[in-house]
Amino acid sequence: CLRLRRARAKGHARPMPLVSEAVVSDAVPLAHDAQAARPVLRCFNVRYSPNLGDGLLSECLERALIDHGADPATTSIDLAARRRYGETLAGRGAIMRALEAMPAGLRGLAVRAPLALASRRSWAPHYAAGLEGADAVVIGGGNLLADLDLNFPTKLALAIGQAARRRLPVALFACGVSSGWSRAGLARARPAFADPHLRAVFVRDPESQAVWN
């Protein structure tokens, strides 16, 4: 199985105010020998984002996990429920322009109903189907720890919740952390990041570590 170790080694990230206790690790070794079954991992990320760099990061992570002992069936679950490259939300540009024209307070309210609807109708079923047969979960990489219109706080909380329902260990790996979180975003993230199934956190650079701390 995936062995996730907690450590407080000097220089590694400590929890940001999102969590109540340290959820930190300096390694995510895969316990594996010739007789052991290779763990099937699921990676939550934005593999099929219009930004092809996100896809490259996701494919590299999958390959590295397999090379280090994960089952070849290890693959990614796109947080936006996309299933292939080139798949985009119809009218996304118009939606973003409309949001950008709104005052901050109104914008924050306007996104809540669509997020709730997408969570129930699209994201939750997609995550649940993708986790079938999984032994553990990795969330990363990319700049996923960010709060823009509650997007990632909503999706990450939902993904961790789906993993927790299946008692799957979760690690955040190579994630960028942005500042400027809203109160609503923190309120969604805190319970998820404090979930005991989240076993380890790795941020991708010193700037992200500074925000996390």
Side-chain angles (χ1 to χ4, degrees):
C1 62
L2 180 68
R3 184 189 303 163
L4 300 170
R5 298 190 288 115
R6 293 190 181 190
R8 288 180 171 80
K10 184 177 180 181
H12 288 277
R14 294 172 299 168
M16 63 196 297
L18 298 172
V19 294
S20 58
E21 63 174 286
V23 188
V24 185
S25 175
D26 60 353
V28 187
L30 295 175
H32 175 68
D33 55 44
Q35 286 72 43
R38 303 183 72 173
V40 176
L41 308 184
R42 291 291 178 261
C43 305
F44 280 100
N45 48 51
V46 286
R47 177 173 181 174
Y48 300 119
S49 162
N51 179 359
L52 293 180
D54 289 321
L56 180 61
L57 283 173
S58 302
E59 293 192 21
C60 288
L61 177 58
E62 293 170 18
R63 184 71 261 168
L65 290 170
I66 293 169
D67 288 347
H68 285 79
D71 190 276
T74 291
T75 190
S76 292
I77 301 171
D78 188 275
L79 284 164
R82 293 169 292 226
R83 293 173 172 81
R84 64 189 65 85
Y85 289 111
E87 184 177 333
T88 59
L89 174 66
R92 182 178 184 274
I95 293 171
M96 294 306 299
R97 287 192 295 273
L99 289 173
E100 288 167 1
M102 293 180 182
L106 179 59
R107 178 171 176 163
L109 294 173
V111 298
R112 298 193 183 199
L115 286 173
L117 186 63
S119 295
R120 184 171 63 254
R121 291 188 175 180
S122 178
W123 301 336
H126 184 72
Y127 299 172
L131 288 173
E132 288 296 325
D135 297 308
V137 170
V138 178
I139 298 176
N143 196 51
L144 300 181
L145 300 183
D147 179 9
L148 178 61
D149 298 323
L150 303 179
N151 182 38
F152 284 127
T154 300
K155 292 172 178 175
L156 294 178
L158 189 61
I160 293 172
Q162 290 286 336
R165 289 187 186 93
R166 293 161 177 77
R167 299 181 180 179
L168 300 176
V170 180
L172 290 172
F173 182 75
C175 290
V177 187
S178 295
S179 59
W181 284 59
S182 66
R183 290 184 180 180
L186 290 172
R188 295 184 184 212
R190 279 193 180 109
F193 290 171
D195 192 293
H197 292 87
L198 179 60
R199 305 290 182 80
V201 172
F202 306 81
V203 297
R204 71 183 182 187
D205 51 41
E207 292 76 18
S208 293
Q209 181 177 337
V211 177
W212 178 266
N213 288 343

